[in-house]
Amino acid sequence: DAIIDAVGHPKIVNSALPLVKMAGAICVYGVIADSSITLEKHLGPLNFNLLLHQWPTRTYEAGAHEPICQLIQAGKLAAKDFITGSFPLDDFEKAFAATRQPGAVKTMLIF
């Protein structure tokens, strides 16, 4: 139904095309650095949605990195507080189900 790309690289978007179902969606959360991308639409179904969610802007996102790293180094912020589930890749169905639970923040797949 949906493929989520959290990187924003055109190669990843194009590699997702054969995997998306008819009328499904490729959802790009990662900011695409290139000013334009070539979409190899022939690799996908006749109808699909391509959704680009590129907010916050690069400036805001980049500006948050240093303060967040300082909070982590100071022991005031822990990644474990945001990971509400961790699953081996073979349990991807359980991981996906966990994302639908109330209180789910981040679900991690371990490769």
Side-chain angles (χ1 to χ4, degrees), residues 3-4 11 27 32 34 42 44 48-49 55-58 68 78 81 101 103 106 111:
I3 297 169
I4 299 171
K11 272 187 159 180
C27 309
I32 296 176
D34 301 336
H42 67 281
F48 64 92
N49 297 295
W55 194 93
T57 65
R58 289 183 194 116
I68 289 173
D81 295 335
Q101 298 302 311
K106 294 280 185 184
F111 289 83

Side-chain angles (χ1 to χ4, degrees), residues 15-34:
S15 68
L17 286 168
L19 306 174
V20 71
K21 75 174 196 171
M22 177 70 93
I26 298 173
C27 309
V28 181
Y29 173 74
V31 176
I32 296 176
D34 301 336

Side-chain angles (χ1 to χ4, degrees), residues 2-99:
I3 297 169
I4 299 171
D5 165 27
V7 176
H9 194 283
K11 272 187 159 180
I12 295 172
V13 174
N14 282 308
S15 68
L17 286 168
L19 306 174
V20 71
K21 75 174 196 171
M22 177 70 93
I26 298 173
C27 309
V28 181
Y29 173 74
V31 176
I32 296 176
D34 301 336
S35 60
S36 63
I37 64 170
T38 301
L39 186 67
E40 298 179 32
K41 66 178 187 156
H42 67 281
L43 297 176
L46 182 61
N47 293 310
F48 64 92
N49 297 295
L50 176 61
L51 306 169
L52 303 175
H53 180 83
Q54 298 193 104
W55 194 93
T57 65
R58 289 183 194 116
T59 303
Y60 289 129
E61 190 168 1
H65 289 176
E66 186 60 34
I68 289 173
C69 288
Q70 289 172 356
L71 289 169
I72 291 169
Q73 290 172 338
K76 295 180 180 179
L77 185 64
K80 67 176 178 58
D81 295 335
F82 300 94
I83 299 172
T84 52
S86 179
F87 300 86
L89 183 58
D90 291 342
D91 288 338
F92 69 90
E93 290 173 339
K94 289 180 186 175
F96 186 69
T99 66

